[in-house]
Amino acid sequence: MALKKALYYGAIGLAILIGVSVVVSVVSAILSLAWAIVSGIVSLAVFVGIVYVLYKTGAWLFGGDDASDSLGGSRSSSASAGGASESRQDRLRRQYVEGHISEDEFERRIASELETEEPDDIDRKLDDINRELERER
């Protein structure tokens, strides 16, 4: 009877050991899969970040449109006849769009910029400015 009890307890102990081993293996496999997914996502994010930085650097070095806008450059290399005043007008438009100046302040500054130009140019540019303002609203 003692041998029968020993074998019975031994079988139960072996079954528990196998069960715990299976549970530990499954948990380990799930954690490994989760770790692989997380490390893959982090690696992809780092790769995308590096590609983005390289793109922006290349655009800045080679004069791309996006880089010149973000660095405060002009939008096009072909400037109009009033180069300095056009740059000033673009700057005023940007300040207005970003909310740094009010509409009244914008119109006052634009009017003072346009005072030095000829009347036909002023009317044409004011029409352009009004169209842009309507589009941005």
Side-chain angles (χ1 to χ4, degrees), residues 91-135:
R91 205 171 325 125
L92 287 172
R93 285 186 191 112
R94 186 171 18 89
Q95 288 175 347
Y96 172 71
V97 169
E98 292 174 355
H100 296 295
I101 59 174
S102 67
E103 185 175 355
D104 294 333
E105 180 69 13
F106 171 74
E107 289 176 356
R108 185 185 66 75
R109 289 183 183 181
I110 285 291
S112 69
E113 283 292 318
L114 296 176
E115 285 177 357
T116 60
E117 297 182 11
E118 295 185 25
D120 290 339
D121 290 340
I122 292 173
D123 291 336
R124 184 176 42 81
K125 288 189 178 186
L126 278 176
D127 289 341
D128 291 344
I129 290 170
N130 286 332
R131 265 187 261 120
E132 283 187 39
L133 286 174
E134 289 300 319
R135 217 177 315 132

mmCIF file of all heavy atoms in Angstrom, residues 91-135:
data_model
loop_
_atom_site.group_PDB
_atom_site.id
_atom_site.type_symbol
_atom_site.label_atom_id
_atom_site.label_comp_id
_atom_site.label_asym_id
_atom_site.label_seq_id
_atom_site.Cartn_x
_atom_site.Cartn_y
_atom_site.Cartn_z
ATOM 1 N N ARG A 91 5.895 88.353 -45.513
ATOM 2 C CA ARG A 91 6.107 88.257 -44.073
ATOM 3 C C ARG A 91 4.868 88.744 -43.317
ATOM 4 O O ARG A 91 4.438 88.123 -42.348
ATOM 5 C CB ARG A 91 7.328 89.090 -43.686
ATOM 6 C CG ARG A 91 7.985 88.619 -42.430
ATOM 7 C CD ARG A 91 9.324 89.280 -42.142
ATOM 8 N NE ARG A 91 10.098 89.569 -43.321
ATOM 9 C CZ ARG A 91 10.576 90.773 -43.636
ATOM 10 N NH1 ARG A 91 10.369 91.799 -42.836
ATOM 11 N NH2 ARG A 91 11.275 90.971 -44.731
ATOM 12 N N LEU A 92 4.279 89.846 -43.771
ATOM 13 C CA LEU A 92 3.069 90.356 -43.130
ATOM 14 C C LEU A 92 1.912 89.368 -43.270
ATOM 15 O O LEU A 92 1.160 89.141 -42.322
ATOM 16 C CB LEU A 92 2.676 91.710 -43.738
ATOM 17 C CG LEU A 92 3.556 92.889 -43.340
ATOM 18 C CD1 LEU A 92 3.196 94.124 -44.153
ATOM 19 C CD2 LEU A 92 3.429 93.176 -41.862
ATOM 20 N N ARG A 93 1.776 88.760 -44.453
ATOM 21 C CA ARG A 93 0.723 87.758 -44.650
ATOM 22 C C ARG A 93 0.902 86.589 -43.689
ATOM 23 O O ARG A 93 -0.048 86.105 -43.091
ATOM 24 C CB ARG A 93 0.736 87.253 -46.098
ATOM 25 C CG ARG A 93 0.163 88.210 -47.084
ATOM 26 C CD ARG A 93 0.073 87.577 -48.466
ATOM 27 N NE ARG A 93 -0.227 88.588 -49.442
ATOM 28 C CZ ARG A 93 0.595 89.008 -50.389
ATOM 29 N NH1 ARG A 93 1.786 88.478 -50.514
ATOM 30 N NH2 ARG A 93 0.235 89.954 -51.224
ATOM 31 N N ARG A 94 2.148 86.131 -43.567
ATOM 32 C CA ARG A 94 2.416 84.998 -42.682
ATOM 33 C C ARG A 94 2.088 85.362 -41.233
ATOM 34 O O ARG A 94 1.485 84.579 -40.500
ATOM 35 C CB ARG A 94 3.869 84.562 -42.813
ATOM 36 C CG ARG A 94 4.179 83.309 -42.039
ATOM 37 C CD ARG A 94 5.550 82.728 -42.304
ATOM 38 N NE ARG A 94 6.534 83.574 -42.904
ATOM 39 C CZ ARG A 94 7.379 84.371 -42.246
ATOM 40 N NH1 ARG A 94 7.343 84.431 -40.940
ATOM 41 N NH2 ARG A 94 8.263 85.110 -42.887
ATOM 42 N N GLN A 95 2.472 86.570 -40.805
ATOM 43 C CA GLN A 95 2.170 86.998 -39.436
ATOM 44 C C GLN A 95 0.664 87.060 -39.203
ATOM 45 O O GLN A 95 0.172 86.676 -38.143
ATOM 46 C CB GLN A 95 2.785 88.370 -39.159
ATOM 47 C CG GLN A 95 4.288 88.337 -39.017
ATOM 48 C CD GLN A 95 4.875 89.734 -38.853
ATOM 49 O OE1 GLN A 95 4.208 90.737 -39.082
ATOM 50 N NE2 GLN A 95 6.138 89.791 -38.470
ATOM 51 N N TYR A 96 -0.071 87.522 -40.209
ATOM 52 C CA TYR A 96 -1.529 87.588 -40.077
ATOM 53 C C TYR A 96 -2.137 86.195 -39.998
ATOM 54 O O TYR A 96 -2.976 85.914 -39.145
ATOM 55 C CB TYR A 96 -2.123 88.372 -41.246
ATOM 56 C CG TYR A 96 -3.625 88.317 -41.276
ATOM 57 C CD1 TYR A 96 -4.375 89.000 -40.322
ATOM 58 C CD2 TYR A 96 -4.296 87.567 -42.227
ATOM 59 C CE1 TYR A 96 -5.751 88.932 -40.323
ATOM 60 C CE2 TYR A 96 -5.673 87.494 -42.240
ATOM 61 C CZ TYR A 96 -6.398 88.185 -41.287
ATOM 62 O OH TYR A 96 -7.759 88.102 -41.291
ATOM 63 N N VAL A 97 -1.684 85.301 -40.879
ATOM 64 C CA VAL A 97 -2.230 83.944 -40.903
ATOM 65 C C VAL A 97 -1.923 83.219 -39.598
ATOM 66 O O VAL A 97 -2.756 82.482 -39.077
ATOM 67 C CB VAL A 97 -1.674 83.163 -42.124
ATOM 68 C CG1 VAL A 97 -2.000 81.694 -42.025
ATOM 69 C CG2 VAL A 97 -2.228 83.743 -43.415
ATOM 70 N N GLU A 98 -0.739 83.422 -39.043
ATOM 71 C CA GLU A 98 -0.359 82.761 -37.797
ATOM 72 C C GLU A 98 -1.002 83.416 -36.577
ATOM 73 O O GLU A 98 -0.875 82.911 -35.472
ATOM 74 C CB GLU A 98 1.163 82.758 -37.658
ATOM 75 C CG GLU A 98 1.848 81.877 -38.683
ATOM 76 C CD GLU A 98 3.364 81.990 -38.653
ATOM 77 O OE1 GLU A 98 3.894 82.842 -37.894
ATOM 78 O OE2 GLU A 98 4.014 81.238 -39.388
ATOM 79 N N GLY A 99 -1.675 84.566 -36.783
ATOM 80 C CA GLY A 99 -2.382 85.209 -35.683
ATOM 81 C C GLY A 99 -1.532 86.146 -34.848
ATOM 82 O O GLY A 99 -1.939 86.556 -33.770
ATOM 83 N N HIS A 100 -0.351 86.513 -35.344
ATOM 84 C CA HIS A 100 0.513 87.419 -34.585
ATOM 85 C C HIS A 100 0.041 88.868 -34.681
ATOM 86 O O HIS A 100 0.327 89.666 -33.790
ATOM 87 C CB HIS A 100 1.957 87.318 -35.069
ATOM 88 C CG HIS A 100 2.572 85.968 -34.845
ATOM 89 N ND1 HIS A 100 2.790 85.450 -33.596
ATOM 90 C CD2 HIS A 100 2.981 85.019 -35.716
ATOM 91 C CE1 HIS A 100 3.320 84.244 -33.702
ATOM 92 N NE2 HIS A 100 3.443 83.952 -34.990
ATOM 93 N N ILE A 101 -0.649 89.214 -35.766
ATOM 94 C CA ILE A 101 -1.184 90.561 -35.908
ATOM 95 C C ILE A 101 -2.660 90.458 -36.275
ATOM 96 O O ILE A 101 -3.101 89.485 -36.873
ATOM 97 C CB ILE A 101 -0.405 91.389 -36.966
ATOM 98 C CG1 ILE A 101 -0.459 90.716 -38.334
ATOM 99 C CG2 ILE A 101 1.023 91.634 -36.530
ATOM 100 C CD1 ILE A 101 0.164 91.565 -39.443
ATOM 101 N N SER A 102 -3.418 91.498 -35.922
ATOM 102 C CA SER A 102 -4.853 91.519 -36.220
ATOM 103 C C SER A 102 -5.069 91.893 -37.682
ATOM 104 O O SER A 102 -4.148 92.332 -38.379
ATOM 105 C CB SER A 102 -5.563 92.519 -35.315
ATOM 106 O OG SER A 102 -5.138 93.833 -35.635
ATOM 107 N N GLU A 103 -6.324 91.759 -38.128
ATOM 108 C CA GLU A 103 -6.636 92.104 -39.515
ATOM 109 C C GLU A 103 -6.440 93.598 -39.756
ATOM 110 O O GLU A 103 -5.912 94.005 -40.794
ATOM 111 C CB GLU A 103 -8.077 91.696 -39.847
ATOM 112 C CG GLU A 103 -8.433 91.909 -41.303
ATOM 113 C CD GLU A 103 -9.817 91.398 -41.649
ATOM 114 O OE1 GLU A 103 -10.474 90.782 -40.791
ATOM 115 O OE2 GLU A 103 -10.228 91.630 -42.792
ATOM 116 N N ASP A 104 -6.843 94.419 -38.783
ATOM 117 C CA ASP A 104 -6.664 95.869 -38.937
ATOM 118 C C ASP A 104 -5.188 96.232 -39.033
ATOM 119 O O ASP A 104 -4.795 97.050 -39.877
ATOM 120 C CB ASP A 104 -7.309 96.612 -37.756
ATOM 121 C CG ASP A 104 -8.823 96.452 -37.734
ATOM 122 O OD1 ASP A 104 -9.402 96.247 -38.821
ATOM 123 O OD2 ASP A 104 -9.411 96.539 -36.636
ATOM 124 N N GLU A 105 -4.382 95.630 -38.165
ATOM 125 C CA GLU A 105 -2.939 95.886 -38.192
ATOM 126 C C GLU A 105 -2.338 95.419 -39.508
ATOM 127 O O GLU A 105 -1.501 96.100 -40.105
ATOM 128 C CB GLU A 105 -2.253 95.189 -37.015
ATOM 129 C CG GLU A 105 -0.753 95.383 -36.959
ATOM 130 C CD GLU A 105 -0.341 96.807 -36.622
ATOM 131 O OE1 GLU A 105 -1.175 97.611 -36.187
ATOM 132 O OE2 GLU A 105 0.851 97.121 -36.815
ATOM 133 N N PHE A 106 -2.790 94.263 -39.981
ATOM 134 C CA PHE A 106 -2.311 93.744 -41.267
ATOM 135 C C PHE A 106 -2.637 94.708 -42.400
ATOM 136 O O PHE A 106 -1.775 95.056 -43.202
ATOM 137 C CB PHE A 106 -2.935 92.375 -41.532
ATOM 138 C CG PHE A 106 -2.679 91.841 -42.906
ATOM 139 C CD1 PHE A 106 -1.431 91.351 -43.252
ATOM 140 C CD2 PHE A 106 -3.680 91.846 -43.862
ATOM 141 C CE1 PHE A 106 -1.194 90.864 -44.527
ATOM 142 C CE2 PHE A 106 -3.444 91.367 -45.137
ATOM 143 C CZ PHE A 106 -2.195 90.877 -45.470
ATOM 144 N N GLU A 107 -3.882 95.159 -42.454
ATOM 145 C CA GLU A 107 -4.284 96.079 -43.519
ATOM 146 C C GLU A 107 -3.532 97.397 -43.426
ATOM 147 O O GLU A 107 -3.155 97.978 -44.453
ATOM 148 C CB GLU A 107 -5.796 96.292 -43.476
ATOM 149 C CG GLU A 107 -6.567 95.057 -43.914
ATOM 150 C CD GLU A 107 -8.067 95.213 -43.776
ATOM 151 O OE1 GLU A 107 -8.537 96.263 -43.262
ATOM 152 O OE2 GLU A 107 -8.777 94.274 -44.175
ATOM 153 N N ARG A 108 -3.300 97.895 -42.222
ATOM 154 C CA ARG A 108 -2.564 99.156 -42.058
ATOM 155 C C ARG A 108 -1.132 99.012 -42.563
ATOM 156 O O ARG A 108 -0.630 99.848 -43.302
ATOM 157 C CB ARG A 108 -2.566 99.579 -40.577
ATOM 158 C CG ARG A 108 -1.926 100.944 -40.332
ATOM 159 C CD ARG A 108 -1.848 101.264 -38.854
ATOM 160 N NE ARG A 108 -0.956 100.386 -38.124
ATOM 161 C CZ ARG A 108 0.378 100.440 -38.169
ATOM 162 N NH1 ARG A 108 0.985 101.320 -38.921
ATOM 163 N NH2 ARG A 108 1.103 99.609 -37.453
ATOM 164 N N ARG A 109 -0.486 97.900 -42.174
ATOM 165 C CA ARG A 109 0.901 97.695 -42.601
ATOM 166 C C ARG A 109 1.009 97.470 -44.108
ATOM 167 O O ARG A 109 1.924 97.968 -44.749
ATOM 168 C CB ARG A 109 1.512 96.510 -41.862
ATOM 169 C CG ARG A 109 1.779 96.791 -40.404
ATOM 170 C CD ARG A 109 2.452 95.614 -39.768
ATOM 171 N NE ARG A 109 2.666 95.786 -38.348
ATOM 172 C CZ ARG A 109 3.265 94.895 -37.582
ATOM 173 N NH1 ARG A 109 3.697 93.755 -38.091
ATOM 174 N NH2 ARG A 109 3.430 95.125 -36.302
ATOM 175 N N ILE A 110 0.072 96.725 -44.662
ATOM 176 C CA ILE A 110 0.087 96.490 -46.105
ATOM 177 C C ILE A 110 -0.123 97.805 -46.846
ATOM 178 O O ILE A 110 0.529 98.095 -47.849
ATOM 179 C CB ILE A 110 -0.986 95.452 -46.519
ATOM 180 C CG1 ILE A 110 -0.539 94.047 -46.145
ATOM 181 C CG2 ILE A 110 -1.305 95.510 -47.996
ATOM 182 C CD1 ILE A 110 0.623 93.509 -46.947
ATOM 183 N N ALA A 111 -1.048 98.635 -46.339
ATOM 184 C CA ALA A 111 -1.305 99.924 -46.985
ATOM 185 C C ALA A 111 -0.054 100.792 -46.960
ATOM 186 O O ALA A 111 0.272 101.445 -47.960
ATOM 187 C CB ALA A 111 -2.459 100.630 -46.291
ATOM 188 N N SER A 112 0.667 100.770 -45.842
ATOM 189 C CA SER A 112 1.892 101.580 -45.787
ATOM 190 C C SER A 112 2.964 101.024 -46.717
ATOM 191 O O SER A 112 3.746 101.781 -47.292
ATOM 192 C CB SER A 112 2.414 101.662 -44.354
ATOM 193 O OG SER A 112 2.896 100.405 -43.933
ATOM 194 N N GLU A 113 2.989 99.724 -46.916
ATOM 195 C CA GLU A 113 3.933 99.124 -47.871
ATOM 196 C C GLU A 113 3.571 99.507 -49.300
ATOM 197 O O GLU A 113 4.435 99.729 -50.133
ATOM 198 C CB GLU A 113 3.926 97.597 -47.744
ATOM 199 C CG GLU A 113 4.666 97.062 -46.562
ATOM 200 C CD GLU A 113 6.162 97.275 -46.672
ATOM 201 O OE1 GLU A 113 6.722 97.087 -47.763
ATOM 202 O OE2 GLU A 113 6.760 97.659 -45.657
ATOM 203 N N LEU A 114 2.280 99.553 -49.579
ATOM 204 C CA LEU A 114 1.819 99.802 -50.942
ATOM 205 C C LEU A 114 1.839 101.274 -51.329
ATOM 206 O O LEU A 114 1.686 101.608 -52.496
ATOM 207 C CB LEU A 114 0.416 99.231 -51.125
ATOM 208 C CG LEU A 114 0.299 97.714 -50.993
ATOM 209 C CD1 LEU A 114 -1.147 97.294 -51.108
ATOM 210 C CD2 LEU A 114 1.144 97.015 -52.034
ATOM 211 N N GLU A 115 2.016 102.170 -50.347
ATOM 212 C CA GLU A 115 2.032 103.608 -50.639
ATOM 213 C C GLU A 115 3.160 103.982 -51.586
ATOM 214 O O GLU A 115 3.045 104.925 -52.346
ATOM 215 C CB GLU A 115 2.144 104.412 -49.351
ATOM 216 C CG GLU A 115 0.870 104.459 -48.557
ATOM 217 C CD GLU A 115 1.027 105.202 -47.243
ATOM 218 O OE1 GLU A 115 2.149 105.642 -46.919
ATOM 219 O OE2 GLU A 115 0.019 105.330 -46.540
ATOM 220 N N THR A 116 4.234 103.246 -51.541
ATOM 221 C CA THR A 116 5.389 103.588 -52.374
ATOM 222 C C THR A 116 5.254 103.076 -53.797
ATOM 223 O O THR A 116 6.042 103.450 -54.655
ATOM 224 C CB THR A 116 6.670 103.006 -51.758
ATOM 225 O OG1 THR A 116 6.530 101.591 -51.685
ATOM 226 C CG2 THR A 116 6.927 103.582 -50.388
ATOM 227 N N GLU A 117 4.242 102.260 -54.081
ATOM 228 C CA GLU A 117 4.066 101.700 -55.411
ATOM 229 C C GLU A 117 3.091 102.535 -56.233
ATOM 230 O O GLU A 117 2.384 103.380 -55.717
ATOM 231 C CB GLU A 117 3.575 100.255 -55.288
ATOM 232 C CG GLU A 117 4.580 99.366 -54.605
ATOM 233 C CD GLU A 117 4.101 97.939 -54.530
ATOM 234 O OE1 GLU A 117 3.104 97.603 -55.176
ATOM 235 O OE2 GLU A 117 4.746 97.165 -53.811
ATOM 236 N N GLU A 118 3.039 102.264 -57.519
ATOM 237 C CA GLU A 118 2.155 102.989 -58.420
ATOM 238 C C GLU A 118 0.703 102.568 -58.188
ATOM 239 O O GLU A 118 0.432 101.445 -57.775
ATOM 240 C CB GLU A 118 2.564 102.725 -59.862
ATOM 241 C CG GLU A 118 3.938 103.266 -60.172
ATOM 242 C CD GLU A 118 4.297 103.101 -61.633
ATOM 243 O OE1 GLU A 118 3.377 103.018 -62.471
ATOM 244 O OE2 GLU A 118 5.473 103.064 -61.930
ATOM 245 N N PRO A 119 -0.281 103.456 -58.510
ATOM 246 C CA PRO A 119 -1.692 103.174 -58.226
ATOM 247 C C PRO A 119 -2.218 101.891 -58.881
ATOM 248 O O PRO A 119 -2.972 101.155 -58.257
ATOM 249 C CB PRO A 119 -2.422 104.405 -58.766
ATOM 250 C CG PRO A 119 -1.402 105.492 -58.757
ATOM 251 C CD PRO A 119 -0.082 104.819 -58.985
ATOM 252 N N ASP A 120 -1.852 101.599 -60.127
ATOM 253 C CA ASP A 120 -2.349 100.384 -60.772
ATOM 254 C C ASP A 120 -1.832 99.136 -60.062
ATOM 255 O O ASP A 120 -2.573 98.170 -59.879
ATOM 256 C CB ASP A 120 -1.930 100.345 -62.249
ATOM 257 C CG ASP A 120 -2.676 101.394 -63.068
ATOM 258 O OD1 ASP A 120 -3.748 101.839 -62.606
ATOM 259 O OD2 ASP A 120 -2.185 101.760 -64.152
ATOM 260 N N ASP A 121 -0.572 99.161 -59.668
ATOM 261 C CA ASP A 121 0.001 98.029 -58.942
ATOM 262 C C ASP A 121 -0.677 97.852 -57.584
ATOM 263 O O ASP A 121 -0.907 96.728 -57.141
ATOM 264 C CB ASP A 121 1.512 98.225 -58.742
ATOM 265 C CG ASP A 121 2.289 98.095 -60.035
ATOM 266 O OD1 ASP A 121 1.750 97.491 -60.985
ATOM 267 O OD2 ASP A 121 3.433 98.598 -60.095
ATOM 268 N N ILE A 122 -1.001 98.966 -56.955
ATOM 269 C CA ILE A 122 -1.625 98.903 -55.639
ATOM 270 C C ILE A 122 -2.996 98.238 -55.743
ATOM 271 O O ILE A 122 -3.330 97.351 -54.953
ATOM 272 C CB ILE A 122 -1.749 100.315 -55.019
ATOM 273 C CG1 ILE A 122 -0.360 100.860 -54.689
ATOM 274 C CG2 ILE A 122 -2.618 100.283 -53.766
ATOM 275 C CD1 ILE A 122 -0.358 102.291 -54.229
ATOM 276 N N ASP A 123 -3.804 98.660 -56.705
ATOM 277 C CA ASP A 123 -5.131 98.071 -56.861
ATOM 278 C C ASP A 123 -5.037 96.575 -57.141
ATOM 279 O O ASP A 123 -5.789 95.774 -56.573
ATOM 280 C CB ASP A 123 -5.897 98.767 -57.998
ATOM 281 C CG ASP A 123 -6.271 100.196 -57.648
ATOM 282 O OD1 ASP A 123 -6.356 100.497 -56.432
ATOM 283 O OD2 ASP A 123 -6.478 101.002 -58.580
ATOM 284 N N ARG A 124 -4.126 96.195 -58.008
ATOM 285 C CA ARG A 124 -3.968 94.785 -58.352
ATOM 286 C C ARG A 124 -3.529 93.980 -57.125
ATOM 287 O O ARG A 124 -4.077 92.919 -56.833
ATOM 288 C CB ARG A 124 -2.945 94.634 -59.484
ATOM 289 C CG ARG A 124 -2.792 93.207 -59.971
ATOM 290 C CD ARG A 124 -1.848 93.102 -61.156
ATOM 291 N NE ARG A 124 -0.647 93.900 -61.065
ATOM 292 C CZ ARG A 124 0.463 93.558 -60.380
ATOM 293 N NH1 ARG A 124 0.494 92.424 -59.733
ATOM 294 N NH2 ARG A 124 1.518 94.345 -60.353
ATOM 295 N N LYS A 125 -2.571 94.505 -56.390
ATOM 296 C CA LYS A 125 -2.065 93.782 -55.218
ATOM 297 C C LYS A 125 -3.108 93.737 -54.098
ATOM 298 O O LYS A 125 -3.223 92.735 -53.393
ATOM 299 C CB LYS A 125 -0.765 94.397 -54.733
ATOM 300 C CG LYS A 125 0.369 94.082 -55.683
ATOM 301 C CD LYS A 125 1.692 94.477 -55.128
ATOM 302 C CE LYS A 125 2.779 94.088 -56.124
ATOM 303 N NZ LYS A 125 4.093 94.306 -55.588
ATOM 304 N N LEU A 126 -3.870 94.805 -53.922
ATOM 305 C CA LEU A 126 -4.919 94.786 -52.917
ATOM 306 C C LEU A 126 -5.978 93.740 -53.267
ATOM 307 O O LEU A 126 -6.489 93.042 -52.386
ATOM 308 C CB LEU A 126 -5.563 96.162 -52.779
ATOM 309 C CG LEU A 126 -4.808 97.167 -51.897
ATOM 310 C CD1 LEU A 126 -5.500 98.525 -51.913
ATOM 311 C CD2 LEU A 126 -4.674 96.670 -50.481
ATOM 312 N N ASP A 127 -6.304 93.647 -54.546
ATOM 313 C CA ASP A 127 -7.243 92.603 -54.966
ATOM 314 C C ASP A 127 -6.684 91.222 -54.663
ATOM 315 O O ASP A 127 -7.395 90.342 -54.181
ATOM 316 C CB ASP A 127 -7.562 92.727 -56.463
ATOM 317 C CG ASP A 127 -8.426 93.945 -56.765
ATOM 318 O OD1 ASP A 127 -9.066 94.465 -55.821
ATOM 319 O OD2 ASP A 127 -8.439 94.374 -57.943
ATOM 320 N N ASP A 128 -5.392 91.030 -54.953
ATOM 321 C CA ASP A 128 -4.760 89.738 -54.653
ATOM 322 C C ASP A 128 -4.799 89.446 -53.158
ATOM 323 O O ASP A 128 -5.108 88.325 -52.740
ATOM 324 C CB ASP A 128 -3.304 89.723 -55.141
ATOM 325 C CG ASP A 128 -3.188 89.732 -56.652
ATOM 326 O OD1 ASP A 128 -4.209 89.442 -57.324
ATOM 327 O OD2 ASP A 128 -2.077 90.029 -57.159
ATOM 328 N N ILE A 129 -4.504 90.444 -52.369
ATOM 329 C CA ILE A 129 -4.479 90.261 -50.916
ATOM 330 C C ILE A 129 -5.876 89.938 -50.403
ATOM 331 O O ILE A 129 -6.064 89.034 -49.580
ATOM 332 C CB ILE A 129 -3.907 91.523 -50.225
ATOM 333 C CG1 ILE A 129 -2.416 91.632 -50.519
ATOM 334 C CG2 ILE A 129 -4.167 91.490 -48.724
ATOM 335 C CD1 ILE A 129 -1.802 92.940 -50.097
ATOM 336 N N ASN A 130 -6.878 90.666 -50.890
ATOM 337 C CA ASN A 130 -8.256 90.394 -50.448
ATOM 338 C C ASN A 130 -8.688 88.988 -50.835
ATOM 339 O O ASN A 130 -9.365 88.302 -50.060
ATOM 340 C CB ASN A 130 -9.213 91.438 -51.028
ATOM 341 C CG ASN A 130 -9.074 92.777 -50.331
ATOM 342 O OD1 ASN A 130 -8.693 92.841 -49.168
ATOM 343 N ND2 ASN A 130 -9.370 93.855 -51.035
ATOM 344 N N ARG A 131 -8.314 88.536 -52.039
ATOM 345 C CA ARG A 131 -8.648 87.172 -52.446
ATOM 346 C C ARG A 131 -7.980 86.161 -51.525
ATOM 347 O O ARG A 131 -8.589 85.183 -51.114
ATOM 348 C CB ARG A 131 -8.214 86.930 -53.904
ATOM 349 C CG ARG A 131 -9.354 87.173 -54.877
ATOM 350 C CD ARG A 131 -8.972 86.776 -56.288
ATOM 351 N NE ARG A 131 -8.601 88.002 -56.987
ATOM 352 C CZ ARG A 131 -7.425 88.265 -57.539
ATOM 353 N NH1 ARG A 131 -6.491 87.373 -57.557
ATOM 354 N NH2 ARG A 131 -7.187 89.416 -58.114
ATOM 355 N N GLU A 132 -6.718 86.400 -51.184
ATOM 356 C CA GLU A 132 -6.007 85.479 -50.281
ATOM 357 C C GLU A 132 -6.650 85.465 -48.891
ATOM 358 O O GLU A 132 -6.793 84.406 -48.282
ATOM 359 C CB GLU A 132 -4.537 85.863 -50.170
ATOM 360 C CG GLU A 132 -3.708 85.445 -51.355
ATOM 361 C CD GLU A 132 -2.232 85.691 -51.126
ATOM 362 O OE1 GLU A 132 -1.764 85.466 -49.991
ATOM 363 O OE2 GLU A 132 -1.575 86.104 -52.069
ATOM 364 N N LEU A 133 -7.039 86.643 -48.416
ATOM 365 C CA LEU A 133 -7.674 86.701 -47.099
ATOM 366 C C LEU A 133 -8.998 85.952 -47.085
ATOM 367 O O LEU A 133 -9.306 85.228 -46.138
ATOM 368 C CB LEU A 133 -7.916 88.173 -46.697
ATOM 369 C CG LEU A 133 -6.695 88.958 -46.273
ATOM 370 C CD1 LEU A 133 -7.057 90.419 -46.054
ATOM 371 C CD2 LEU A 133 -6.090 88.387 -45.015
ATOM 372 N N GLU A 134 -9.769 86.090 -48.138
ATOM 373 C CA GLU A 134 -11.029 85.366 -48.219
ATOM 374 C C GLU A 134 -10.802 83.863 -48.271
ATOM 375 O O GLU A 134 -11.527 83.072 -47.686
ATOM 376 C CB GLU A 134 -11.839 85.819 -49.450
ATOM 377 C CG GLU A 134 -12.402 87.206 -49.328
ATOM 378 C CD GLU A 134 -13.350 87.353 -48.148
ATOM 379 O OE1 GLU A 134 -14.145 86.419 -47.913
ATOM 380 O OE2 GLU A 134 -13.275 88.392 -47.452
ATOM 381 N N ARG A 135 -9.775 83.439 -49.000
ATOM 382 C CA ARG A 135 -9.466 82.029 -49.110
ATOM 383 C C ARG A 135 -9.016 81.453 -47.763
ATOM 384 O O ARG A 135 -9.337 80.333 -47.413
ATOM 385 C CB ARG A 135 -8.344 81.835 -50.147
ATOM 386 C CG ARG A 135 -8.526 80.594 -50.967
ATOM 387 C CD ARG A 135 -7.474 80.422 -52.027
ATOM 388 N NE ARG A 135 -7.171 81.610 -52.784
ATOM 389 C CZ ARG A 135 -5.941 82.068 -53.049
ATOM 390 N NH1 ARG A 135 -4.900 81.385 -52.656
ATOM 391 N NH2 ARG A 135 -5.755 83.169 -53.753
#
